[in-house]
Amino acid sequence: MSTVHPQDPFIYTPKEPAPQAMRTMHSLLTLAAWVLYAYLWLPLVTVVAWLLGIRTSYIELYVRNNQVDRTMFLVILLLAIAATALLVGWAEYNRRRFSGPDRRSNPGNVQLPEVAESLGAPLELSDRVAGAKSMTLAMGEDARLSGIHRSTPFAL
């Protein structure tokens, strides 16, 4: 038995179903949102797992035998020292490798004759290329710049 409800003006009901591509995109966006939501809960899950791990370690290392296993603590200490040394060594290696002058600095300005020479074009054409924000180039049969169809100058 179905009942007909009056149309609520705040609820959108389309006349036709959405295309498959749009439904797929909405599904992927929903999945991405759920993955992000789960990712945001990871720190809490990590803290709980860490606390459970401490309790389990305490039970395994002390309560089970009613004494402290010194060799196990020595192994844990050596592993902690090795992990710390490895991490610090890797950080120091990367610091030395990537320190120094910034290789992403701005390159020097190129003069118009150099631009004209590299394009194989006349000097006045390279001057128009340097002064335009965007352009459509005309290329010759030899794949060299032969002219400019349309250009947009820089806004000042």
Side-chain angles (χ1 to χ4, degrees):
M1 172 171 165
S2 79
T3 60
V4 177
H5 296 286
Q7 184 68 23
D8 187 350
F10 297 110
I11 297 178
Y12 173 70
T13 52
K15 305 272 189 259
E16 298 176 17
Q20 180 65 33
M22 186 166 293
R23 289 196 315 258
T24 302
M25 180 58 75
H26 287 169
S27 298
L28 290 174
L29 286 174
T30 302
L31 176 67
W34 277 109
V35 167
L36 177 66
Y37 181 71
Y39 176 76
L40 293 175
W41 277 97
L42 279 179
L44 180 64
V45 171
T46 303
V47 166
V48 170
W50 184 72
L51 290 173
L52 292 175
I54 288 178
R55 183 178 182 280
T56 304
S57 299
Y58 171 72
I59 290 171
E60 291 296 323
L61 294 176
Y62 179 71
V63 173
R64 189 177 294 260
N65 298 326
N66 278 341
Q67 63 182 13
V68 175
D69 187 3
R70 292 193 174 122
T71 58
M72 183 60 70
F73 277 118
L74 181 64
V75 168
I76 291 172
L77 178 66
L78 290 176
L79 287 174
I81 290 171
T84 303
L86 208 72
L87 183 65
V88 168
W90 182 252
E92 184 64 22
Y93 165 76
N94 282 320
R95 187 184 66 81
R96 288 181 189 225
R97 179 177 174 203
F98 295 112
S99 65
D102 190 4
R103 294 179 289 222
R104 296 173 293 174
S105 61
N106 290 334
N109 288 335
V110 179
Q111 303 301 320
L112 288 178
E114 294 176 76
V115 173
E117 182 183 335
S118 67
L119 292 174
L123 187 59
E124 60 273 359
L125 199 56
S126 70
D127 186 33
R128 285 185 61 198
V129 168
K133 182 177 180 181
S134 65
M135 66 187 63
T136 304
L137 301 176
M139 306 302 281
E141 291 295 322
D142 59 350
R144 292 182 183 259
L145 181 63
S146 63
I148 297 174
H149 286 300
R150 180 180 54 85
S151 69
T152 305
F154 284 111
L156 296 176

